Coordinates of all heavy atoms in Angstrom, one line a residue:
F1 N -7.2 1.7 3.4 CA -7.0 2.0 1.9 C -5.9 1.1 1.3 O -6.1 0.6 0.2 CB -6.8 3.5 1.7 CG -6.7 3.8 0.3 CD1 -7.9 4.1 -0.4 CD2 -5.4 4.0 -0.4 CE1 -7.6 4.5 -1.8 CE2 -5.3 4.4 -1.6 CZ -6.4 4.7 -2.3
S2 N -4.7 1.0 2.0 CA -3.5 0.4 1.5 C -3.8 -1.1 1.1 O -3.1 -1.7 0.3 CB -2.4 0.5 2.3 OG -2.7 -0.2 3.6
M3 N -4.7 -1.7 1.6 CA -5.0 -3.1 1.5 C -6.0 -3.4 0.3 O -6.0 -4.5 -0.2 CB -5.5 -3.7 2.7 CG -4.8 -3.6 3.9 SD -5.5 -4.5 5.3 CE -5.1 -6.2 4.9
Y4 N -6.5 -2.4 -0.1 CA -7.5 -2.5 -1.3 C -7.0 -2.3 -2.6 O -6.1 -1.5 -2.9 CB -8.7 -1.4 -1.1 CG -9.6 -2.0 0.0 CD1 -9.4 -1.9 1.2 CD2 -10.9 -2.3 -0.5 CE1 -10.3 -2.3 2.2 CE2 -11.9 -2.7 0.5 CZ -11.7 -2.7 1.7 OH -12.5 -3.1 2.8
T5 N -7.5 -3.2 -3.6 CA -7.3 -2.9 -5.0 C -8.3 -1.8 -5.4 O -9.5 -2.0 -5.1 CB -7.6 -4.2 -5.8 OG1 -6.6 -5.0 -5.6 CG2 -7.5 -3.8 -7.3
M6 N -7.8 -0.8 -6.0 CA -8.6 0.3 -6.4 C -8.7 0.3 -7.9 O -7.7 0.1 -8.6 CB -8.0 1.7 -6.0 CG -7.8 1.8 -4.5 SD -9.4 1.6 -3.6 CE -10.3 3.0 -4.2
G7 N -9.9 0.5 -8.4 CA -10.0 0.4 -9.9 C -11.0 1.6 -10.3 O -11.7 2.2 -9.6
W8 N -10.7 2.0 -11.7 CA -11.7 2.9 -12.2 C -12.4 2.1 -13.3 O -11.7 1.5 -14.1 CB -10.8 4.1 -12.9 CG -10.2 5.0 -11.9 CD1 -9.0 5.0 -11.4 CD2 -10.9 6.0 -11.2 NE1 -9.0 6.0 -10.5 CE2 -10.1 6.7 -10.3 CE3 -12.2 6.5 -11.4 CZ2 -10.5 7.8 -9.7 CZ3 -12.7 7.7 -10.5 CH2 -11.7 8.3 -9.8
Y9 N -13.8 2.4 -13.3 CA -14.5 1.9 -14.3 C -15.3 2.9 -15.1 O -15.4 3.9 -14.6 CB -15.7 0.8 -13.6 CG -15.0 -0.5 -13.0 CD1 -14.3 -0.4 -11.9 CD2 -15.4 -1.6 -13.7 CE1 -13.7 -1.5 -11.4 CE2 -15.0 -2.8 -13.1 CZ -14.1 -2.8 -12.0 OH -13.6 -4.0 -11.5
R10 N -15.9 2.5 -16.1 CA -16.8 3.5 -16.8 C -18.0 2.7 -17.5 O -17.9 1.5 -17.9 CB -15.9 4.4 -17.8 CG -15.5 3.4 -19.1 CD -14.7 4.4 -20.0 NE -14.3 3.7 -21.2 CZ -13.4 4.2 -22.0 NH1 -12.8 5.4 -21.8 NH2 -13.0 3.5 -23.0
Q11 N -19.0 3.5 -17.7 CA -20.2 3.0 -18.2 C -20.8 4.0 -19.3 O -21.2 5.0 -18.7 CB -21.3 2.6 -17.2 CG -22.5 1.8 -17.8 CD -23.4 1.2 -16.8 OE1 -23.3 1.4 -15.5 NE2 -24.2 0.2 -17.2
A12 N -20.7 3.7 -20.4 CA -21.2 4.5 -21.6 C -22.8 4.3 -21.8 O -23.1 3.1 -21.4 CB -20.5 4.4 -22.8
P13 N -23.5 5.1 -22.3 CA -25.0 4.8 -22.5 C -25.2 3.6 -23.4 O -24.4 3.4 -24.3 CB -25.4 6.1 -23.2 CG -24.5 7.2 -22.7 CD -23.2 6.5 -22.5
G14 N -25.9 2.6 -22.8 CA -26.3 1.5 -23.6 C -25.3 0.3 -23.6 O -25.3 -0.6 -24.1
K15 N -24.2 0.7 -22.7 CA -23.1 -0.4 -22.6 C -22.9 -0.9 -21.1 O -23.4 -0.2 -20.2 CB -21.8 0.2 -23.2 CG -21.8 0.6 -24.7 CD -20.5 1.0 -25.1 CE -20.5 1.2 -26.6 NZ -19.2 1.6 -27.1
Q16 N -22.2 -1.9 -21.0 CA -22.0 -2.4 -19.8 C -20.8 -1.6 -19.0 O -20.0 -1.1 -19.7 CB -21.6 -3.9 -19.8 CG -22.7 -4.9 -20.1 CD -22.3 -6.3 -20.1 OE1 -21.1 -6.8 -20.3 NE2 -23.2 -7.1 -19.6
R17 N -20.8 -1.8 -17.8 CA -19.8 -1.1 -17.1 C -18.5 -1.8 -17.3 O -18.4 -3.1 -17.2 CB -20.0 -1.1 -15.6 CG -19.1 -0.1 -14.8 CD -19.5 -0.1 -13.3 NE -20.9 0.6 -13.2 CZ -21.5 1.0 -12.1 NH1 -20.9 0.8 -11.0 NH2 -22.6 1.6 -12.1
E18 N -17.3 -1.1 -17.6 CA -16.1 -1.9 -17.9 C -15.0 -1.3 -17.1 O -14.9 -0.2 -16.7 CB -15.7 -1.7 -19.4 CG -15.6 -0.3 -19.8 CD -15.0 0.0 -21.3 OE1 -14.5 -1.1 -21.8 OE2 -15.1 1.0 -21.7
L19 N -14.1 -2.3 -16.7 CA -12.9 -1.8 -16.0 C -12.0 -1.3 -17.0 O -11.7 -1.8 -18.0 CB -12.2 -3.2 -15.4 CG -10.8 -2.9 -14.7 CD1 -10.9 -2.1 -13.5 CD2 -10.1 -4.3 -14.4
I20 N -11.3 -0.1 -16.5 CA -10.4 0.6 -17.4 C -9.0 0.7 -16.8 O -8.1 0.8 -17.5 CB -11.0 2.0 -17.9 CG1 -11.2 2.8 -16.8 CG2 -12.0 1.9 -18.9 CD1 -11.4 4.4 -17.1
A21 N -8.9 0.7 -15.5 CA -7.6 0.7 -14.9 C -7.7 0.3 -13.4 O -8.8 0.5 -12.8 CB -7.1 2.2 -14.9
A22 N -6.6 -0.5 -13.0 CA -6.6 -0.9 -11.5 C -5.3 -0.7 -11.0 O -4.2 -0.8 -11.6 CB -7.1 -2.2 -11.5
S23 N -5.3 -0.6 -9.6 CA -4.0 -0.4 -8.9 C -4.1 -1.4 -7.7 O -5.1 -1.2 -6.8 CB -3.7 0.9 -8.6 OG -2.7 1.0 -7.6
T24 N -3.3 -2.4 -7.6 CA -3.4 -3.4 -6.5 C -2.7 -2.9 -5.3 O -2.1 -1.8 -5.3 CB -2.7 -4.6 -6.9 OG1 -1.4 -4.5 -7.0 CG2 -3.3 -5.2 -8.2
S25 N -3.0 -3.5 -4.2 CA -2.3 -3.1 -2.9 C -0.8 -3.1 -3.0 O -0.1 -2.4 -2.3 CB -2.7 -4.0 -1.7 OG -2.3 -5.4 -2.0
S26 N -0.1 -3.9 -3.9 CA 1.2 -3.8 -4.1 C 1.7 -2.9 -5.3 O 2.7 -2.9 -5.7 CB 1.7 -5.3 -4.4 OG 1.2 -5.8 -5.7
R27 N 0.6 -2.1 -5.7 CA 0.8 -1.0 -6.6 C 1.0 -1.6 -8.0 O 1.5 -0.8 -9.0 CB 1.9 0.0 -6.2 CG 1.6 0.7 -5.0 CD 2.8 1.6 -4.7 NE 2.5 2.3 -3.5 CZ 1.9 3.5 -3.4 NH1 1.5 4.1 -4.3 NH2 1.8 4.1 -2.1
R28 N 0.8 -2.8 -8.4 CA 0.7 -3.2 -9.8 C -0.5 -2.6 -10.4 O -1.5 -2.4 -9.8 CB 0.6 -4.9 -9.8 CG 2.0 -5.5 -9.6 CD 1.9 -6.9 -9.7 NE 1.0 -7.5 -8.8 CZ 0.8 -8.9 -8.7 NH1 1.3 -9.6 -9.6 NH2 0.0 -9.4 -7.8
T29 N -0.3 -2.3 -11.7 CA -1.4 -1.6 -12.4 C -1.7 -2.4 -13.7 O -0.9 -3.2 -14.1 CB -1.0 -0.1 -12.9 OG1 0.2 -0.2 -13.6 CG2 -0.7 0.7 -11.5
N30 N -2.9 -2.3 -14.1 CA -3.3 -2.8 -15.4 C -4.4 -1.9 -15.9 O -5.1 -1.2 -15.3 CB -3.9 -4.3 -15.3 CG -5.1 -4.3 -14.5 OD1 -5.0 -4.5 -13.2 ND2 -6.3 -4.5 -15.2
Y31 N -4.4 -2.0 -17.3 CA -5.2 -1.0 -18.1 C -6.1 -1.8 -19.1 O -5.5 -2.8 -19.8 CB -4.4 0.0 -18.7 CG -3.7 0.9 -17.8 CD1 -2.4 0.6 -17.4 CD2 -4.2 2.0 -17.3 CE1 -1.8 1.5 -16.5 CE2 -3.6 2.9 -16.4 CZ -2.3 2.6 -16.0 OH -1.7 3.4 -15.1
A32 N -7.1 -1.3 -19.5 CA -7.9 -1.8 -20.6 C -7.1 -1.3 -21.9 O -6.6 -0.2 -21.9 CB -9.3 -1.2 -20.6
N33 N -7.2 -2.2 -23.0 CA -6.5 -1.7 -24.0 C -6.9 -0.4 -24.7 O -6.1 0.3 -25.3 CB -6.6 -2.9 -25.1 CG -5.9 -4.2 -24.9 OD1 -4.9 -4.0 -24.2 ND2 -6.3 -5.3 -25.4
S34 N -8.2 -0.1 -24.5 CA -8.8 1.2 -25.0 C -8.1 2.4 -24.5 O -8.3 3.4 -25.1 CB -10.3 1.1 -24.9 OG -10.6 0.9 -23.6
V35 N -7.5 2.3 -23.3 CA -7.0 3.5 -22.7 C -5.5 3.5 -22.4 O -4.9 4.4 -21.9 CB -7.7 3.7 -21.2 CG1 -9.2 3.8 -21.4 CG2 -7.4 2.7 -20.2
K36 N -4.8 2.3 -22.8 CA -3.5 2.1 -22.4 C -2.7 3.2 -23.2 O -3.0 3.4 -24.4 CB -3.1 0.6 -22.9 CG -1.9 0.1 -22.2 CD -1.6 -1.3 -22.6 CE -2.7 -2.3 -21.9 NZ -2.4 -3.7 -22.2
G37 N -1.7 3.8 -22.5 CA -0.9 4.8 -23.2 C -1.5 6.2 -23.0 O -0.8 7.2 -23.2
R38 N -2.8 6.2 -22.7 CA -3.5 7.6 -22.4 C -3.9 7.9 -21.1 O -3.7 9.0 -20.7 CB -4.6 7.6 -23.4 CG -4.4 7.5 -24.9 CD -5.8 7.7 -25.7 NE -6.8 6.8 -25.4 CZ -8.0 7.1 -24.9 NH1 -8.2 8.4 -24.9 NH2 -9.0 6.2 -24.8
F39 N -4.2 6.8 -20.3 CA -4.7 7.0 -18.9 C -3.7 6.4 -18.0 O -3.0 5.4 -18.3 CB -6.1 6.2 -18.7 CG -7.1 6.8 -19.4 CD1 -7.1 7.8 -20.4 CD2 -8.5 6.4 -19.2 CE1 -8.2 8.3 -21.0 CE2 -9.6 6.9 -19.8 CZ -9.4 7.8 -20.8
T40 N -3.5 7.0 -16.8 CA -2.6 6.6 -15.8 C -3.3 6.6 -14.5 O -3.9 7.6 -14.1 CB -1.3 7.5 -15.8 OG1 -0.7 7.5 -17.0 CG2 -0.4 7.0 -14.7
I41 N -3.3 5.5 -13.8 CA -3.7 5.3 -12.4 C -2.6 5.5 -11.4 O -1.5 4.9 -11.7 CB -4.5 4.0 -12.2 CG1 -5.4 3.9 -11.0 CG2 -3.7 2.8 -12.6 CD1 -6.3 2.8 -10.8
S42 N -2.9 6.2 -10.3 CA -2.0 6.1 -9.4 C -2.6 6.2 -8.0 O -3.9 6.4 -8.0 CB -1.0 7.5 -9.6 OG -1.8 8.6 -9.4
R43 N -2.1 6.1 -7.0 CA -2.5 6.1 -5.6 C -1.6 6.7 -4.5 O -0.4 6.5 -4.6 CB -3.0 4.7 -5.1 CG -1.8 3.7 -4.9 CD -2.3 2.3 -4.9 NE -3.1 2.1 -3.7 CZ -4.0 1.1 -3.4 NH1 -4.1 0.1 -4.5 NH2 -4.6 0.9 -2.3
D44 N -2.2 7.3 -3.7 CA -1.5 7.9 -2.5 C -2.1 7.3 -1.2 O -3.1 7.8 -0.7 CB -1.7 9.4 -2.6 CG -0.7 10.2 -1.4 OD1 -0.4 9.5 -0.5 OD2 -0.4 11.3 -1.6
N45 N -1.5 6.4 -0.6 CA -2.0 5.6 0.4 C -2.0 6.5 1.7 O -2.8 6.3 2.6 CB -1.2 4.4 0.8 CG -1.4 3.3 -0.3 OD1 -2.4 3.4 -1.1 ND2 -0.5 2.2 -0.4

């Protein structure tokens, strides 16, 4: 697990699946603009 980038995606009806948050193996995170400030990704290796 610790070697993997973990991401959360979502797919709304009629839309493409989109990345909303990711956490790399070095624990860097990034967020889609649509969820920034509201969603938080975290991991427990």
Side-chain angles (χ1 to χ4, degrees):
F1 182 83
S2 61
M3 300 183 73
Y4 279 71
T5 290
M6 300 301 297
W8 288 98
Y9 289 69
R10 69 185 180 189
Q11 188 166 18
K15 294 188 177 181
Q16 288 189 327
R17 193 173 296 187
E18 61 172 344
L19 173 67
I20 54 171
S23 171
T24 70
S25 58
S26 59
R27 297 181 182 269
R28 281 184 295 180
T29 59
N30 64 280
Y31 297 91
N33 287 336
S34 58
V35 306
K36 204 171 290 184
R38 299 187 297 125
F39 292 10
T40 303
I41 188 171
S42 60
R43 63 192 295 161
D44 185 337
N45 288 347

